[in-house]
């Protein structure tokens, strides 16, 4: 129930921001895309799991800089193509998150560089192996912190394409995490490793 309260609070705050700042120089929009994901630390290597994401955002521009909070529903996870007969490790894991990223952007003509961070609330998680599918939500932290680095290209004034790289700043499985600035392969715990891409459109230009 706590996770749903946080999601509801995030939606409520987003609508407060939109309604309170609508008359000012803000741009409202939507984004739709997909992610190639893996979970570092689970012994299933490769960006084999595809997950969609969809959401809304508010963007405020100040010269070449802009600030953009987003509200996204996104699916992360991992998938194993190497050894499907090994039931000791899951063949597939999936994590359903409600995320609130905040980006600082720098635009140069039609290109834009993007840097940000986010917190996400885990709604549901499951593993699937040769024994079937089973829910694993309780095995993971309900809150994830992540860092993001990306770029956008504006096809039109009201439409752009983007790509971004995201990584968990803390382990998501409640394990004993190693220090942040060490090699991910040397840190205990599970970490989301995500490459995303998609379309971003504006309701008002």
């Amino acid at each position: 129930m706590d996770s749903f309260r946080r999601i509801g609070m995030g939606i409520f705050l987003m609508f407060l921001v939109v309604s309170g700042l609508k008359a000012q120089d803000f741009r409202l929009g939507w984004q739709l895309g997909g992610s190639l994901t893996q979970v570092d630390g689970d012994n299933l290597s490769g960006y084999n799991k595809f997950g969609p994401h969809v959401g809304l955002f508010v963007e405020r521009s100040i010269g070449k800089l802009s600030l953009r909070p987003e509200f996204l529903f996104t699916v992360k996870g991992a998938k194993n193509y190497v050894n499907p007969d090994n039931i000791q490790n899951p063949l597939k894991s999936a994590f359903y998150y409600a995320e609130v990223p905040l980006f600082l952007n720098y635009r140069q003509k039609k290109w834009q560089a993007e840097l940000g961070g986010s917190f996400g609330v885990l709604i549901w998680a499951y593993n699937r192996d040769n024994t079937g599918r089973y829910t694993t939500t309780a095995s993971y932290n309900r809150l994830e912190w992540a860092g993001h680095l990306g770029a956008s290209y504006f096809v039109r004034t009201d439409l752009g394409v983007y790509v971004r790289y995201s990584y968990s700043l803390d382990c998501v499985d409640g394990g004993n995490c190693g220090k942040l600035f060490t090699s991910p392969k040397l840190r205990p715990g599970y970490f989301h490793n995500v490459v995303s891409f998609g379309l971003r459109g504006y309701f008002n230009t």
Side-chain angles (χ1 to χ4, degrees):
M1 291 299 293
D2 287 341
S3 61
F4 289 104
R5 290 193 189 99
R6 290 170 182 163
I7 295 169
M9 182 61 70
I11 295 174
F12 177 70
L13 290 176
M14 176 67 79
F15 278 108
L16 278 183
V17 170
V18 171
S19 60
L21 303 175
K22 190 173 181 180
Q24 302 182 32
D25 187 19
F26 281 77
R27 304 177 73 188
L28 315 178
W30 55 269
Q31 57 191 65
L32 175 65
S35 300
L36 300 176
T37 71
Q38 64 178 3
V39 178
D40 288 353
D42 67 351
N43 298 318
L44 304 180
S45 62
Y47 295 94
N48 299 322
K49 172 74 170 62
F50 175 82
H53 61 264
V54 61
L56 302 171
F57 66 86
V58 182
E59 188 172 275
R60 175 68 166 95
S61 298
I62 306 174
K64 294 183 178 182
L65 296 177
S66 64
L67 194 64
R68 186 181 67 251
E70 303 174 351
F71 187 85
L72 300 177
F73 287 97
T74 184
V75 181
K76 305 178 184 182
K79 194 172 183 179
N80 184 17
Y81 288 129
V82 179
N83 189 6
D85 296 324
N86 181 5
I87 64 173
Q88 301 302 316
N89 291 318
L91 302 181
K92 179 180 179 181
S93 62
F95 303 80
Y96 291 74
Y97 282 96
E99 290 187 316
V100 182
L102 177 62
F103 280 91
L104 177 65
N105 314 308
Y106 176 79
R107 182 167 176 174
Q108 185 66 35
K109 296 182 179 179
K110 291 189 174 184
W111 291 94
Q112 182 170 269
E114 306 175 353
L115 177 67
S118 69
F119 71 89
V121 177
L122 179 63
I123 303 172
W124 183 49
Y126 73 84
N127 285 356
R128 184 193 296 274
D129 58 23
N130 286 347
T131 66
R133 189 175 75 175
Y134 46 96
T135 299
T136 57
T137 311
S139 301
Y140 301 101
N141 292 331
R142 302 308 292 269
L143 192 63
E144 182 213 14
W145 299 93
H148 308 274
L149 180 65
S152 296
Y153 178 79
F154 290 86
V155 181
R156 305 188 313 232
T157 57
D158 63 344
L159 183 66
V161 295
Y162 64 87
V163 61
R164 70 175 58 158
Y165 176 75
S166 307
Y167 200 89
S168 299
L169 298 180
D170 202 0
C171 61
V172 300
D173 63 336
N176 181 25
C177 294
K179 293 182 179 180
L180 177 60
F181 297 106
T182 57
S183 170
K185 293 184 178 180
L186 300 179
R187 299 175 67 191
Y190 289 175
F191 302 85
H192 291 302
N193 187 338
V194 182
V195 177
S196 302
F197 49 89
L199 294 174
R200 181 182 299 123
Y202 295 84
F203 296 124
N204 57 337
T205 58

